[in-house]
Amino acid sequence: MSVSYCCCRNLGKAIKALHLHLRRSGSSSLYRRIQSEHLSFSSAMADLKSTFLNVYSVLKSDLLHDPAFEFTDESRLWVERMLDYNVRGGKLNRGLSVVDSFKLLKEGKDLTEQEVFLSCALGWCIEWLQAYFLVLDDIMDNSVTRRGQPCWFRVPQVGMVAINDGILLRNHIHRILKKHFREMPYYVDLVDLFNEVEMQTACGQMIDLITTFEGEKDLSKYSLSIHRRIVQYKTAYYSFYLPVACALLMAGENLENHIDVKNVLVDMGIYFQVQDDYLDCFADPETLGKIGTDIEDFKCSWLVVKALERCSEEQTKILYENYGKPDPSNVAKVKDLYKELDLEGVFMEYESKSYEKLTGVIEAHQSKAIQAVLKSFLAKIYKRQK
């Protein structure tokens, strides 16, 4: 039974549970709004994403009425706009994967109303974490667009206020965890998990930023081992391991017993980032939702590392002279070199071998439920276009 089907069937119950939660949590204005809009099984989109977005509304209302801060109308409107722009705007794959993974771990059993809400809430914590990272990452990279719209710091009147918004996003995660999970036996493990993954991701970003300092552009420092280390910490832990770890904790599992699962998910995350590096250069920006800037930003991209391995002496000179320069003519020369080296073909071969290797490891796992979780993740990213 698919997760979407199960959640469709239970959506009426889930919405009633949301109504009850809203009454108990004091979010009366949102509760009245939902009532007035006749949000019910017959009128709501009966699928997992609809339920997931309903939970976002609950969490946002909680945060906009957090008793720890005395909001003014202006500050509440600012935070609401910031959340809708940065948290809701993505594909939501990481967050939805928590619900998906938890359902698969339950091996076909229907989720209770509380489990629907809590798994969605944990999924949103990951989406909040993602938003926090992206808001600050775009500033550090001086990026132009994100998800098909201007980066948050480039929105008029936002600017460097975005730094503080990023800090707010980070703090919201622990407000959500405290409000909804502090009575759960796995609460401390959840807090530790989010703290550890945040630290690992920040360290990955640090490695990425300091591998070559601004003004010290030296391609000789780039290698596959450096690339793997950056990706492991910057992307793999929070994008792949964290959703499954959240689901495992909800299922009553001890994470120390699932190191093998973590290792597979890290390898999957590395494959995902190699895809990302490839798409940054070769994908249509409209399809991708952003303008790739890895070449201009002198990023330790999988493409440039593979290029360095394959370049002749003359080609290496071209790469050194043009990589990391913002002028479109320099960028074009690098892209022409990538095509000359057939890096598209090299990537296709890498993708095929990675899929075969990951599939083999997954199918060797003793737990059919965990196999299903890992196969679900792999299916979502294999041959993706954005």
Side-chain angles (χ1 to χ4, degrees):
M1 181 185 299
S2 72
V3 180
S4 295
Y5 174 76
C6 173
C7 287
C8 286
R9 198 175 68 179
N10 288 328
L11 186 59
K13 291 182 179 179
I15 291 170
K16 289 179 182 177
L18 290 180
H19 283 192
L20 180 60
H21 169 82
L22 289 168
R23 290 199 297 270
R24 288 175 176 173
S25 65
S27 303
S28 57
S29 61
L30 181 60
Y31 173 61
R32 286 194 300 271
R33 189 167 80 242
I34 289 178
Q35 280 191 316
S36 68
E37 291 172 356
H38 306 291
L39 183 60
S40 64
F41 182 78
S42 60
S43 62
M45 182 185 298
D47 59 10
L48 172 59
K49 191 169 183 180
S50 176
T51 304
F52 194 65
L53 290 171
N54 290 337
V55 174
Y56 168 79
S57 296
V58 175
L59 300 177
K60 182 176 75 169
S61 181
D62 288 343
L63 294 166
L64 294 176
H65 297 87
D66 192 325
F69 177 65
E70 189 176 333
F71 280 92
T72 62
D73 290 342
E74 183 182 20
S75 61
R76 184 176 284 112
L77 285 171
W78 179 277
V79 173
E80 181 171 21
R81 177 189 178 213
M82 183 268 290
L83 292 178
D84 288 344
Y85 196 94
N86 294 291
V87 180
R88 268 194 66 163
K91 296 184 287 290
L92 308 180
N93 288 339
R94 293 168 181 82
L96 289 167
S97 292
V98 178
V99 191
D100 192 13
S101 298
F102 182 59
K103 176 61 185 175
L104 291 169
L105 290 173
K106 297 264 288 186
E107 298 186 270
K109 297 177 183 176
D110 289 349
L111 302 187
T112 67
E113 289 91 340
Q114 183 186 45
E115 287 172 336
V116 169
F117 180 84
L118 292 180
S119 59
C120 286
L122 278 183
W124 278 113
C125 284
I126 298 176
E127 293 297 329
W128 249 269
L129 187 69
Q130 161 86 339
Y132 155 52
F133 289 145
L134 295 185
V135 165
L136 298 184
D137 187 65
D138 286 342
I139 296 171
M140 287 181 267
D141 289 348
N142 198 32
S143 298
V144 177
T145 60
R146 168 73 65 181
R147 297 167 172 170
Q149 59 186 359
C151 297
W152 178 239
F153 80 98
R154 292 192 179 276
V155 172
Q157 298 183 323
V158 176
M160 291 302 105
V161 177
I163 296 173
N164 192 68
D165 289 336
I167 296 169
L168 279 176
L169 289 165
R170 190 268 180 203
N171 279 273
H172 284 170
I173 297 164
H174 289 279
R175 302 303 289 175
I176 294 169
L177 293 177
K178 181 178 179 181
K179 182 174 180 64
H180 298 289
F181 294 90
R182 60 181 167 182
E183 302 301 327
M184 298 298 165
Y186 51 86
Y187 173 62
V188 172
D189 292 326
L190 266 182
V191 172
D192 285 346
L193 175 64
F194 272 88
N195 283 336
E196 182 173 289
V197 169
E198 181 192 353
M199 186 273 291
Q200 289 169 323
T201 308
C203 287
Q205 176 76 341
M206 174 191 67
I207 298 168
D208 191 15
L209 293 169
I210 71 173
T211 297
T212 300
F213 287 104
E214 189 173 352
E216 299 178 7
K217 295 178 178 178
D218 184 0
L219 282 174
S220 67
K221 293 184 178 180
Y222 288 173
S223 66
L224 273 180
S225 61
I226 290 293
H227 179 268
R228 179 185 174 89
R229 184 169 168 80
I230 291 170
V231 171
Q232 176 180 345
Y233 287 98
K234 184 178 176 179
T235 300
Y237 284 117
Y238 95 90
S239 294
F240 286 82
Y241 174 60
L242 183 56
V244 176
C246 285
L248 286 168
L249 287 175
M250 276 195 69
E253 295 289 328
N254 184 336
L255 296 182
E256 293 299 318
N257 297 332
H258 294 286
I259 302 302
D260 56 341
V261 175
K262 178 192 283 189
N263 292 337
V264 173
L265 288 163
V266 167
D267 285 343
M268 213 179 291
I270 291 167
Y271 161 51
F272 175 86
Q273 186 59 50
V274 172
Q275 286 179 312
D276 221 44
D277 291 351
Y278 169 80
L279 293 171
D280 184 273
C281 177
F282 290 105
D284 180 354
E286 288 190 10
T287 302
L288 191 60
K290 65 177 181 178
I291 299 170
T293 60
D294 283 359
I295 294 172
E296 296 94 317
D297 296 338
F298 202 78
K299 287 292 184 181
C300 184
S301 162
W302 183 82
L303 291 173
V304 76
V305 169
K306 297 304 291 185
L308 288 165
E309 289 181 351
R310 300 167 69 85
C311 276
S312 66
E313 186 175 336
E314 183 179 343
Q315 289 170 327
T316 300
K317 184 179 178 183
I318 293 171
L319 197 57
Y320 270 74
E321 288 175 350
N322 293 281
Y323 197 75
K325 295 182 179 178
D327 191 284
S329 64
N330 297 110
V331 175
K333 288 178 183 177
V334 174
K335 289 187 175 183
D336 287 343
L337 180 59
Y338 285 173
K339 290 176 182 176
E340 187 178 329
L341 294 168
D342 189 28
L343 290 191
E344 289 187 79
V346 174
F347 169 77
M348 297 301 176
E349 182 181 359
Y350 165 85
E351 182 168 55
S352 177
K353 288 182 177 179
S354 295
Y355 181 78
E356 184 179 342
K357 179 183 175 182
L358 286 166
T359 300
V361 174
I362 291 168
E363 290 181 347
H365 198 283
Q366 60 186 4
S367 167
K368 294 297 182 183
I370 288 178
Q371 276 191 36
V373 170
L374 297 175
K375 285 180 178 179
S376 172
F377 262 78
L378 187 56
K380 289 172 185 173
I381 64 172
Y382 182 53
K383 291 192 177 295
R384 68 188 177 95
Q385 299 299 312
K386 60 180 180 178

